[in-house]
Amino acid sequence: MERRSLLRAAVLGGTTAALGGTLWRGAAYAAPAQPGAGPYGPLGSPDANGIRLPSGFTSRVIARSGQRVGSTSYTWHNAPDGGACYADGTGWIYVSNSEINPSGGASAVKFSSTGAITAAYRILSSTRQNCAGGKTPWNTWLSCEEVSLGYVYETDPWGTNAAVQRAAMGRFKHEAAAADPVRKVIYLTEDETNGRFYRFVPTTWGNLSSGKLQVMVAGSATSGSFTWADIPDPDGSPTATRSQVSGSKSFNGGEGCHYANDTVWFTTKGDNRVWQVNLLNNTYELAYDDSLVNGTAPLTGVDNITGASSGDLFVAEDGGTMEICVITPDDIVASFLRVDGQSGSEITGPAFSPDGTRLYFSSQRGTSGSSSGGITYEVTGPFRS
């Protein structure tokens, strides 16, 4: 569905704030957003898994780090992070990264049409601190290394084909990736305090072995127009990719990235912002800015981001109050779920099943606060379509 600009407003001391000559309207915060005060209603009491959900939704634990997944013989990885879902006949597959260094990689869980776990297995090994990534239209998983001079690895969710290092996509502190089938490019975020927003233009769409790495060039304002410029040396050595193009725009800690309907959204954790890039007219603006809502919004610690067919965005918190929050097309920010008793963790890997009725995500460090305590969940219920 077509989505308009989000949350270009905040109520600060009872007034609307103006920024750069644009009226930042306060409709979404005429009554400050409260946890649960959104399209799904208020959150209930914690369920048996310690998750607060709206009425009509239920949760179950899919996997725990260091333990076998369901009745399979496969042991789930530590520090589960970015993830995505893939249709598999009448069932589906959920893939999940492992953000440990060394020996990060990624794993997959296979489900039947009823949601029963039928298999679990490794799809990527011997890589470093695999944080987020992205799904391609040809049904591979791009697993990104969040380390200096990190690589993108293209992996097979079915575990049949060997993973392939995609050096042409640049070497930097990779975070997330989002495919744009219209412009035939892959957008990439960089988790540095002065990170950049990139796109990779493959020589041939569907083949990531060669192409051009480009960076967004724009001013320092929070909205405006932009262009793309080629990165001269995607290898990033001796000069980091983020330092190679004069005028490239700096972003404070790039995190999640999501594409839909000629728009790409990405998050920056250093300033708790969600950015919206209009690809039809080559403009960018803030979709959400935590500093402008004066502590009244539930969403803090922005991190991974995904979208539903309804046009709703679901943003996971790194810290905050351990919530996944929803940003609706009509500018409402609300808590969708909260994980209790895991304040030393972060929420990662939100992804919807192909039919949109199940949401998968992980608590990276669980109740223990360590990478060996990760828990991966499934939430089922009446999601908006």
Side-chain angles (χ1 to χ4, degrees):
M1 90 183 257
E2 182 178 356
R3 187 184 186 92
R4 58 194 175 85
S5 180
L6 301 174
L7 295 184
R8 292 175 301 204
V11 171
L12 302 174
T15 62
T16 57
L19 183 64
T22 300
L23 178 64
W24 287 55
R25 54 186 174 71
Y29 292 100
Q34 298 296 324
Y40 294 103
L43 303 184
S45 300
D47 64 11
N49 298 316
I51 300 180
R52 296 177 181 266
L53 292 162
S55 177
F57 290 85
T58 59
S59 76
R60 67 166 171 160
V61 173
I62 296 303
R64 294 180 183 270
S65 296
Q67 297 184 23
R68 292 182 177 181
V69 180
S71 60
T72 74
S73 61
Y74 184 73
T75 300
W76 198 235
H77 55 261
N78 289 347
D81 206 287
C85 282
Y86 299 79
D88 178 48
T90 58
W92 60 93
I93 294 169
Y94 177 68
V95 300
S96 170
N97 280 342
S98 176
E99 196 188 12
I100 58 173
N101 188 6
S103 303
S107 302
V109 181
K110 186 175 286 193
F111 300 87
S112 72
S113 60
T114 63
I117 295 172
T118 60
Y121 44 90
R122 173 70 57 159
I123 61 172
L124 177 65
S125 300
S126 302
T127 55
R128 305 168 296 162
Q129 203 162 322
N130 296 77
C131 196
K135 178 181 179 179
T136 68
W138 49 93
N139 287 325
T140 59
W141 168 244
L142 301 180
S143 184
C144 298
E145 289 184 312
E146 190 197 356
V147 294
S148 179
L149 298 180
Y151 287 102
V152 174
Y153 289 83
E154 188 169 14
T155 69
D156 176 13
W158 287 262
T160 302
N161 300 312
V164 180
Q165 186 184 90
R166 296 304 189 189
M169 299 184 77
R171 297 192 66 188
F172 53 88
K173 201 171 184 181
H174 282 276
E175 183 68 34
D180 176 352
V182 177
R183 279 146 287 271
K184 299 182 178 179
V185 301
I186 308 289
Y187 304 102
L188 301 161
T189 56
E190 181 179 26
D191 193 358
E192 298 275 8
T193 56
N194 60 340
R196 299 304 197 258
F197 186 62
Y198 303 90
R199 74 174 186 179
F200 179 67
V201 186
T203 303
T204 302
W205 185 236
N207 183 342
L208 303 179
S209 61
S210 66
K212 295 184 297 184
L213 181 67
Q214 299 181 324
V215 66
M216 177 185 279
V217 176
S220 59
T222 54
S223 65
S225 60
F226 69 90
T227 58
W228 297 104
D230 293 349
I231 296 289
D233 180 16
D235 187 57
S237 179
T239 303
T241 55
R242 63 186 180 277
S243 302
Q244 292 183 21
V245 175
S246 177
S248 60
K249 185 169 179 59
S250 176
F251 293 96
N252 190 352
E255 289 285 339
C257 194
H258 174 69
Y259 169 86
N261 300 317
D262 298 310
T263 305
V264 61
W265 292 270
F266 66 96
T267 63
T268 49
K269 67 180 181 184
D271 47 18
N272 281 318
R273 287 172 166 173
V274 181
W275 298 84
Q276 176 177 328
V277 180
N278 185 321
L279 301 165
L280 292 177
N281 60 18
N282 285 344
T283 60
Y284 70 93
E285 62 184 310
L286 283 174
Y288 173 81
D289 187 350
D290 179 63
S291 68
L292 292 176
V293 297
N294 203 27
T296 61
L299 177 58
T300 57
V302 300
D303 202 307
N304 290 173
I305 185 171
T306 193
S309 59
S310 61
D312 293 334
L313 296 175
F314 286 76
V315 186
E317 291 187 335
D318 180 351
T321 52
M322 283 291 289
E323 293 185 344
I324 293 179
C325 292
V326 60
I327 303 178
T328 71
D330 54 351
D331 295 358
I332 300 298
V333 177
S335 303
F336 171 71
L337 66 78
R338 181 188 300 167
V339 181
D340 278 5
Q342 300 185 30
S343 59
S345 186
E346 62 183 277
I347 292 181
T348 59
F352 283 95
S353 60
D355 67 358
T357 64
R358 301 169 193 248
L359 175 65
Y360 294 91
F361 70 94
S362 294
S363 170
Q364 190 179 80
R365 297 176 292 278
T367 58
S368 70
S370 71
S371 62
S372 61
I375 309 171
T376 300
Y377 300 95
E378 173 193 85
V379 168
T380 304
F383 288 100
R384 304 203 304 171
S385 59

mmCIF file of all heavy atoms in Angstrom, residues 6 12 40 43 53 124 127 139 167 173 190-191 215 218 225 264 276 279 312-313 325 348:
data_model
loop_
_atom_site.group_PDB
_atom_site.id
_atom_site.type_symbol
_atom_site.label_atom_id
_atom_site.label_comp_id
_atom_site.label_asym_id
_atom_site.label_seq_id
_atom_site.Cartn_x
_atom_site.Cartn_y
_atom_site.Cartn_z
ATOM 1 N N LEU A 6 5.859 9.800 7.635
ATOM 2 C CA LEU A 6 5.497 9.430 9.000
ATOM 3 C C LEU A 6 6.002 10.419 10.029
ATOM 4 O O LEU A 6 7.124 10.900 9.934
ATOM 5 C CB LEU A 6 6.128 8.077 9.345
ATOM 6 C CG LEU A 6 5.748 6.905 8.472
ATOM 7 C CD1 LEU A 6 6.578 5.722 8.883
ATOM 8 C CD2 LEU A 6 4.286 6.610 8.615
ATOM 9 N N LEU A 12 5.958 19.257 21.820
ATOM 10 C CA LEU A 12 7.000 19.628 22.768
ATOM 11 C C LEU A 12 6.453 20.760 23.634
ATOM 12 O O LEU A 12 6.299 21.882 23.166
ATOM 13 C CB LEU A 12 8.267 20.076 22.037
ATOM 14 C CG LEU A 12 8.870 19.043 21.084
ATOM 15 C CD1 LEU A 12 10.032 19.659 20.327
ATOM 16 C CD2 LEU A 12 9.342 17.844 21.870
ATOM 17 N N TYR A 40 -3.671 -2.384 17.678
ATOM 18 C CA TYR A 40 -3.899 -3.699 18.278
ATOM 19 C C TYR A 40 -4.379 -3.626 19.722
ATOM 20 O O TYR A 40 -4.615 -4.655 20.345
ATOM 21 C CB TYR A 40 -2.623 -4.538 18.195
ATOM 22 C CG TYR A 40 -2.259 -4.881 16.772
ATOM 23 C CD1 TYR A 40 -1.238 -4.215 16.111
ATOM 24 C CD2 TYR A 40 -2.972 -5.849 16.067
ATOM 25 C CE1 TYR A 40 -0.924 -4.510 14.794
ATOM 26 C CE2 TYR A 40 -2.657 -6.159 14.754
ATOM 27 C CZ TYR A 40 -1.637 -5.489 14.128
ATOM 28 O OH TYR A 40 -1.331 -5.787 12.818
ATOM 29 N N LEU A 43 -1.420 -3.743 25.724
ATOM 30 C CA LEU A 43 -0.734 -4.998 26.015
ATOM 31 C C LEU A 43 -1.330 -5.635 27.260
ATOM 32 O O LEU A 43 -1.698 -4.950 28.218
ATOM 33 C CB LEU A 43 0.759 -4.755 26.237
ATOM 34 C CG LEU A 43 1.519 -4.070 25.098
ATOM 35 C CD1 LEU A 43 3.006 -4.003 25.438
ATOM 36 C CD2 LEU A 43 1.298 -4.789 23.780
ATOM 37 N N LEU A 53 1.378 -9.183 25.199
ATOM 38 C CA LEU A 53 0.824 -9.115 23.859
ATOM 39 C C LEU A 53 -0.572 -8.506 23.881
ATOM 40 O O LEU A 53 -1.262 -8.557 24.907
ATOM 41 C CB LEU A 53 0.742 -10.520 23.260
ATOM 42 C CG LEU A 53 2.058 -11.218 22.944
ATOM 43 C CD1 LEU A 53 1.839 -12.719 22.775
ATOM 44 C CD2 LEU A 53 2.681 -10.620 21.693
ATOM 45 N N LEU A 124 25.398 -21.079 7.227
ATOM 46 C CA LEU A 124 26.613 -20.282 7.079
ATOM 47 C C LEU A 124 27.491 -20.495 8.297
ATOM 48 O O LEU A 124 27.005 -20.436 9.430
ATOM 49 C CB LEU A 124 26.268 -18.799 6.930
ATOM 50 C CG LEU A 124 27.423 -17.808 6.846
ATOM 51 C CD1 LEU A 124 28.244 -18.039 5.568
ATOM 52 C CD2 LEU A 124 26.913 -16.364 6.890
ATOM 53 N N THR A 127 32.221 -17.320 9.882
ATOM 54 C CA THR A 127 32.218 -15.885 9.606
ATOM 55 C C THR A 127 32.191 -15.147 10.937
ATOM 56 O O THR A 127 32.202 -15.767 12.004
ATOM 57 C CB THR A 127 31.020 -15.496 8.728
ATOM 58 O OG1 THR A 127 29.812 -15.950 9.357
ATOM 59 C CG2 THR A 127 31.123 -16.130 7.349
ATOM 60 N N ASN A 139 15.240 -15.389 -3.380
ATOM 61 C CA ASN A 139 15.138 -16.273 -2.209
ATOM 62 C C ASN A 139 16.476 -16.770 -1.674
ATOM 63 O O ASN A 139 16.642 -17.946 -1.339
ATOM 64 C CB ASN A 139 14.217 -17.455 -2.506
ATOM 65 C CG ASN A 139 12.766 -17.036 -2.554
ATOM 66 O OD1 ASN A 139 12.338 -16.161 -1.805
ATOM 67 N ND2 ASN A 139 11.993 -17.635 -3.444
ATOM 68 N N ALA A 167 32.232 -9.995 -2.253
ATOM 69 C CA ALA A 167 33.179 -8.910 -2.006
ATOM 70 C C ALA A 167 32.820 -7.632 -2.756
ATOM 71 O O ALA A 167 33.135 -6.521 -2.303
ATOM 72 C CB ALA A 167 34.581 -9.366 -2.392
ATOM 73 N N LYS A 173 31.675 -2.093 7.985
ATOM 74 C CA LYS A 173 30.940 -2.647 9.128
ATOM 75 C C LYS A 173 29.475 -2.777 8.728
ATOM 76 O O LYS A 173 28.635 -1.947 9.059
ATOM 77 C CB LYS A 173 31.112 -1.757 10.353
ATOM 78 C CG LYS A 173 30.831 -2.441 11.677
ATOM 79 C CD LYS A 173 31.244 -1.550 12.833
ATOM 80 C CE LYS A 173 31.059 -2.239 14.169
ATOM 81 N NZ LYS A 173 31.446 -1.350 15.297
ATOM 82 N N GLU A 190 25.433 0.894 7.424
ATOM 83 C CA GLU A 190 26.765 0.749 8.022
ATOM 84 C C GLU A 190 26.707 1.148 9.489
ATOM 85 O O GLU A 190 26.332 2.281 9.812
ATOM 86 C CB GLU A 190 27.768 1.624 7.278
ATOM 87 C CG GLU A 190 29.187 1.541 7.800
ATOM 88 C CD GLU A 190 30.150 2.413 7.007
ATOM 89 O OE1 GLU A 190 29.703 3.420 6.411
ATOM 90 O OE2 GLU A 190 31.349 2.090 6.979
ATOM 91 N N ASP A 191 27.109 0.244 10.373
ATOM 92 C CA ASP A 191 27.018 0.486 11.811
ATOM 93 C C ASP A 191 28.289 1.149 12.344
ATOM 94 O O ASP A 191 29.104 0.545 13.024
ATOM 95 C CB ASP A 191 26.744 -0.821 12.556
ATOM 96 C CG ASP A 191 26.321 -0.576 13.989
ATOM 97 O OD1 ASP A 191 26.280 0.594 14.416
ATOM 98 O OD2 ASP A 191 26.035 -1.558 14.699
ATOM 99 N N VAL A 215 27.257 5.364 -2.794
ATOM 100 C CA VAL A 215 26.947 5.961 -1.501
ATOM 101 C C VAL A 215 26.032 7.160 -1.701
ATOM 102 O O VAL A 215 26.095 7.847 -2.735
ATOM 103 C CB VAL A 215 28.253 6.372 -0.775
ATOM 104 C CG1 VAL A 215 28.974 7.500 -1.525
ATOM 105 C CG2 VAL A 215 27.984 6.757 0.674
ATOM 106 N N ALA A 218 24.455 13.876 0.074
ATOM 107 C CA ALA A 218 23.427 14.843 0.470
ATOM 108 C C ALA A 218 24.016 15.787 1.499
ATOM 109 O O ALA A 218 25.126 15.580 2.011
ATOM 110 C CB ALA A 218 22.201 14.122 1.038
ATOM 111 N N SER A 225 17.148 16.534 -0.863
ATOM 112 C CA SER A 225 17.371 15.682 -2.021
ATOM 113 C C SER A 225 18.733 15.017 -1.916
ATOM 114 O O SER A 225 19.588 15.432 -1.124
ATOM 115 C CB SER A 225 17.279 16.505 -3.307
ATOM 116 O OG SER A 225 18.250 17.528 -3.315
ATOM 117 N N VAL A 264 12.397 3.222 0.899
ATOM 118 C CA VAL A 264 13.234 2.411 1.776
ATOM 119 C C VAL A 264 13.334 3.142 3.118
ATOM 120 O O VAL A 264 13.504 4.358 3.166
ATOM 121 C CB VAL A 264 14.628 2.137 1.159
ATOM 122 C CG1 VAL A 264 15.418 3.401 0.898
ATOM 123 C CG2 VAL A 264 15.416 1.174 2.041
ATOM 124 N N GLN A 276 13.320 7.836 6.109
ATOM 125 C CA GLN A 276 12.479 7.431 4.996
ATOM 126 C C GLN A 276 13.062 8.018 3.711
ATOM 127 O O GLN A 276 13.265 9.234 3.604
ATOM 128 C CB GLN A 276 11.057 7.955 5.221
ATOM 129 C CG GLN A 276 10.094 7.675 4.085
ATOM 130 C CD GLN A 276 8.692 8.161 4.409
ATOM 131 O OE1 GLN A 276 8.285 8.142 5.573
ATOM 132 N NE2 GLN A 276 7.958 8.598 3.416
ATOM 133 N N LEU A 279 12.190 6.989 -3.268
ATOM 134 C CA LEU A 279 13.013 6.628 -4.416
ATOM 135 C C LEU A 279 12.439 7.122 -5.731
ATOM 136 O O LEU A 279 13.108 7.043 -6.770
ATOM 137 C CB LEU A 279 13.190 5.113 -4.445
ATOM 138 C CG LEU A 279 13.847 4.550 -3.177
ATOM 139 C CD1 LEU A 279 13.670 3.052 -3.108
ATOM 140 C CD2 LEU A 279 15.311 4.941 -3.107
ATOM 141 N N ASP A 312 2.138 -1.259 7.888
ATOM 142 C CA ASP A 312 2.712 -1.015 9.207
ATOM 143 C C ASP A 312 4.192 -1.379 9.202
ATOM 144 O O ASP A 312 4.608 -2.378 8.604
ATOM 145 C CB ASP A 312 2.010 -1.876 10.271
ATOM 146 C CG ASP A 312 0.569 -1.483 10.499
ATOM 147 O OD1 ASP A 312 0.225 -0.315 10.252
ATOM 148 O OD2 ASP A 312 -0.216 -2.355 10.922
ATOM 149 N N LEU A 313 4.987 -0.564 9.896
ATOM 150 C CA LEU A 313 6.377 -0.894 10.157
ATOM 151 C C LEU A 313 6.486 -1.449 11.570
ATOM 152 O O LEU A 313 5.824 -0.958 12.491
ATOM 153 C CB LEU A 313 7.261 0.349 10.035
ATOM 154 C CG LEU A 313 7.355 1.007 8.661
ATOM 155 C CD1 LEU A 313 8.179 2.290 8.755
ATOM 156 C CD2 LEU A 313 7.947 0.054 7.640
ATOM 157 N N CYS A 325 7.760 -2.165 18.440
ATOM 158 C CA CYS A 325 6.755 -1.123 18.286
ATOM 159 C C CYS A 325 6.274 -1.069 16.845
ATOM 160 O O CYS A 325 7.001 -1.411 15.918
ATOM 161 C CB CYS A 325 7.316 0.237 18.697
ATOM 162 S SG CYS A 325 7.651 0.365 20.469
ATOM 163 N N THR A 348 15.755 -8.792 18.273
ATOM 164 C CA THR A 348 16.381 -8.879 16.959
ATOM 165 C C THR A 348 15.527 -9.719 16.008
ATOM 166 O O THR A 348 14.648 -10.462 16.420
ATOM 167 C CB THR A 348 17.765 -9.551 17.071
ATOM 168 O OG1 THR A 348 17.606 -10.863 17.631
ATOM 169 C CG2 THR A 348 18.711 -8.750 17.952
#
